[in-house]
Amino acid sequence: MDMKKRIHLELRNRTPSDVRELVLDNCRSNEGKIEGLTAEFVNLKFLSLINVGLISVSNLPKLGKLKQLELSDNRISGGLDVLAEKLPNLTHLNLSGNKLKDISTLEPLKKLENLKSLDLFNCEVTNLNDYRESVFKLLPQLTYLDGYDMEDREASDSDGEVDGDGVDYDDDEEGEEEEEDEDEDGEEEDFDEEDDDDEEEVDGEEDEDVSGEDEEDDLGQDGEVDDEDVDDEDDDEDDEEEEGGRGEKRKREPEDEDDEDDD
């Protein structure tokens, strides 16, 4: 697919001024030059032209808000002065895998005062003696060259590249972390509510168990009391029978005396 048609598809019924990110990787350039990209993309902040067969960037339009430009895996060998002229606010430039051989070809980048990160992986220039020292000396505004600073410290996420919406990645990560924290807090609250419900259920079951045990104890005590009452009643009946027997004996004794008198 040629570059002009790809740009039309990427617009997706938007106007060029609505676009902040434009990825045209692997499409075909026109004779090694940019085609179909115009200055109407006034709010464009991220442009990717990886492996499109570029030989020159001379047709690049003026994009005053562009922050990050990806030009890796092309055949660019020079003419970088156009970048300084058309992209005054560029901060991240990736030229990895191009035909850059000499430090002198990078000299036009001195005019990019805001340039913070430059990548030249797999370019012949990286094979030169004192390559890193020479580039940092030529471009003092640079913080990172091929992902590392002058002290060979690797670039961290907090140094944030610019994404397609022109927002630092670290800002996006902070937003995601806040959302995750909110989600975690919500989950913790849910767990707390579930735990409270479980505790209430357990307490209810314990109360039922305790009341059941108390009822059983009361029934057991009542049973013991009833047995004692039965025993007491049996004793009273025995006493009454004994007293009845004694009364009969007493009655019989006078009768026996009368019989003796008759004799």
Side-chain angles (χ1 to χ4, degrees), residues 10 27 32 51 79 101-102 105 112-113 174 208 231 249:
E10 291 293 333
C27 66
N51 190 34
K101 298 180 180 180
D102 302 317
T105 59
L112 289 171
E113 298 178 356
E174 288 177 2
E208 291 177 359
D231 293 338
K249 288 179 180 179

Side-chain angles (χ1 to χ4, degrees), residues 132 136 142-155 159:
R132 290 182 61 80
F136 275 118
L142 274 188
T143 302
Y144 299 105
L145 175 61
D146 301 331
Y148 290 84
D149 66 9
M150 290 183 66
E151 305 299 327
D152 288 332
R153 290 174 298 198
E154 188 174 4
D159 295 303

Side-chain angles (χ1 to χ4, degrees), residues 8 35 40 48 58 85 99 111-112 131 147 153 160 179 195 228 256:
H8 178 72
E35 180 185 33
E40 293 178 326
S48 185
S58 60
E85 180 184 348
K99 305 297 182 180
K111 297 178 182 179
L112 289 171
Y131 151 71
R153 290 174 298 198
E179 291 177 1
D195 291 341
E228 290 178 358
D256 294 340

Side-chain angles (χ1 to χ4, degrees), residues 4-187:
K4 186 181 291 188
K5 186 175 182 181
R6 176 70 175 274
I7 291 173
H8 178 72
L9 289 175
E10 291 293 333
L11 282 174
R12 298 168 189 164
N13 298 321
R14 297 175 294 174
T15 62
S17 61
D18 293 330
V19 180
R20 297 192 177 193
E21 174 181 358
L22 188 59
V23 178
L24 305 173
D25 300 348
N26 304 310
C27 66
R28 292 193 307 271
S29 61
N30 181 24
E31 297 180 353
K33 295 181 180 180
I34 296 171
E35 180 185 33
L37 189 64
T38 68
E40 293 178 326
F41 290 85
V42 292
N43 293 312
L44 193 65
K45 295 188 177 183
F46 177 95
L47 175 61
S48 185
L49 292 164
I50 297 173
N51 190 34
V52 296
L54 285 181
I55 296 174
S56 169
V57 291
S58 60
N59 285 2
L60 189 69
K62 187 173 180 62
L63 301 169
K65 292 187 178 182
L66 195 73
K67 297 287 187 180
Q68 184 168 347
L69 178 60
E70 297 286 335
L71 292 173
S72 59
D73 299 326
N74 285 292
R75 293 177 288 163
I76 299 169
S77 59
L80 301 182
D81 53 311
V82 175
L83 300 180
E85 180 184 348
K86 302 292 181 69
L87 311 174
N89 291 307
L90 194 68
T91 59
H92 295 72
L93 176 60
N94 190 344
L95 288 166
S96 300
N98 279 282
K99 305 297 182 180
L100 303 171
K101 298 180 180 180
D102 302 317
I103 295 292
S104 60
T105 59
L106 304 175
E107 192 165 349
L109 301 181
K110 289 194 297 184
K111 297 178 182 179
L112 289 171
E113 298 178 356
N114 297 310
L115 190 63
K116 178 181 179 182
S117 175
L118 175 64
D119 289 315
L120 297 169
F121 290 111
N122 298 322
C123 292
E124 290 185 40
V125 67
T126 62
N127 297 323
L128 298 175
N129 292 331
D130 301 324
Y131 151 71
R132 290 182 61 80
E133 291 80 358
S134 299
V135 174
F136 275 118
K137 184 177 180 180
L138 177 67
L139 306 172
Q141 75 272 35
L142 274 188
T143 302
Y144 299 105
L145 175 61
D146 301 331
Y148 290 84
D149 66 9
M150 290 183 66
E151 305 299 327
D152 288 332
R153 290 174 298 198
E154 188 174 4
S156 63
D157 292 338
S158 60
D159 295 303
E161 296 183 357
V162 179
D163 65 13
D165 294 328
V167 181
D168 287 346
Y169 288 134
D170 53 344
D171 292 339
D172 289 343
E173 289 174 358
E174 288 177 2
E176 291 175 1
E177 288 175 359
E178 289 177 0
E179 291 177 1
E180 290 176 0
D181 292 339
E182 290 177 0
D183 293 339
E184 290 176 359
D185 292 339
E187 291 177 359

